[in-house]
Amino acid sequence: MKPYNVVINFESGTLDPGKRIIRKVSDVKNMFYDTQAAEELIQKGDPMVYEVIYADVPEEQGHLGHCTTIIYPGKIGNEYFLTKGHYHEKLSTAEIYFCLRGQGRLIMESTDGDCEVLEMFPGSASYIPPNWSHRTMNVGKELLVFYCIFPADAGHDYATIEEQGYPKLVVEIDGKVTVIDNPKRKN
Ligand code: PA5
Ligand code: NI
């Protein structure tokens, strides 16, 4: 293949040319604490929670995958709109998230059981080391847009997070972004 450009719009988060994946509430309902509130939102039109737009890169060792993620502002119950979250199938692979717009949080858990929450804001470049799962939330009132770079053969393991969730939830309490223990967390 030959070198090539894609163009990223920092405001809208579009990456062109790119392949767009859309996640609605019905696609991510099991990730939220208040599944009842998620069901109600699905009945009310099943709004979009986030989009990912991937550059066309072979999923092979040596290549770098890259994409933008756009998370819409919103909450389910008092929990901010979030991504599914995943470990990489190849656990030994890292990732960088570079925030272009909005206000977010990045929650990560390591295979050793450590949990960290980082702030995302325009200009923040968050390093996700090997062996750490990752999920993002939009805690602001506008779009959260960030650019991701990862080894193209890293792969996604969604099942672990879908089953166990994270030890912490990021919720709004009295209008403030608050990190609380996840009462549903098993183990
Ligand atoms: O590669 C990544 O970690 C990101 O591009 C995510 O895939 C993206 O932010 C969407 O999250 P998820 O894949 O957990 O649905
Ligand atoms: Ni990843």
Side-chain angles (χ1 to χ4, degrees):
M1 69 183 284
K2 294 214 180 204
Y4 69 100
N5 275 343
V6 294
V7 177
I8 295 170
N9 182 307
F10 289 18
E11 280 295 301
S12 65
T14 56
L15 181 154
D16 190 39
K19 186 178 161 220
R20 181 184 297 248
I21 288 176
I22 288 167
R23 303 273 189 226
K24 296 180 169 192
V25 176
S26 53
D27 298 311
V28 293
K29 61 179 180 186
N30 295 333
M31 310 301 178
F32 287 92
Y33 177 74
D34 190 343
T35 43
Q36 180 63 35
E39 288 297 346
E40 284 166 20
L41 211 48
I42 293 167
Q43 297 311 318
K44 282 186 196 151
D46 197 12
M48 193 128 79
V49 178
Y50 65 100
E51 300 175 50
V52 188
I53 308 172
Y54 289 98
D56 185 14
V57 171
E59 290 176 14
E60 294 166 7
Q61 192 178 2
H63 285 278
L64 289 174
H66 58 129
C67 63
T68 51
T69 302
I70 303 154
I71 310 182
Y72 289 85
K75 283 178 290 178
I76 293 186
N78 64 357
E79 193 176 12
Y80 296 102
F81 274 10
L82 46 72
T83 57
K84 289 170 84 138
H86 59 270
Y87 279 100
H88 289 160
E89 239 162 7
K90 279 199 179 174
L91 275 169
S92 60
T93 53
E95 182 154 1
I96 288 172
Y97 283 179
F98 182 51
C99 182
L100 306 175
R101 175 180 175 184
Q103 301 294 323
R105 294 290 184 278
L106 165 59
I107 187 164
M108 293 161 285
E109 185 176 12
S110 75
T111 48
D112 293 335
D114 290 343
C115 183
E116 295 283 338
V117 179
L118 291 180
E119 293 191 11
M120 298 174 78
F121 48 87
S124 67
S126 307
Y127 187 67
I128 303 162
N131 304 307
W132 287 75
S133 69
H134 36 288
R135 164 183 284 169
T136 46
M137 304 98 190
N138 183 348
V139 301
K141 295 192 173 12
E142 57 174 312
L143 297 181
L144 175 69
V145 177
F146 56 97
Y147 175 60
C148 316
I149 309 172
F150 51 94
D153 59 342
H156 295 94
D157 161 19
Y158 289 107
T160 309
I161 301 302
E162 184 154 14
E163 279 160 28
Q164 69 180 26
Y166 277 89
K168 308 274 181 194
L169 303 178
V170 182
V171 297
E172 186 173 286
I173 298 177
D174 296 334
K176 288 204 181 91
V177 183
T178 309
V179 180
I180 60 168
D181 288 335
N182 178 4
K184 280 191 181 166
R185 169 67 181 229
K186 300 165 196 126
N187 81 38

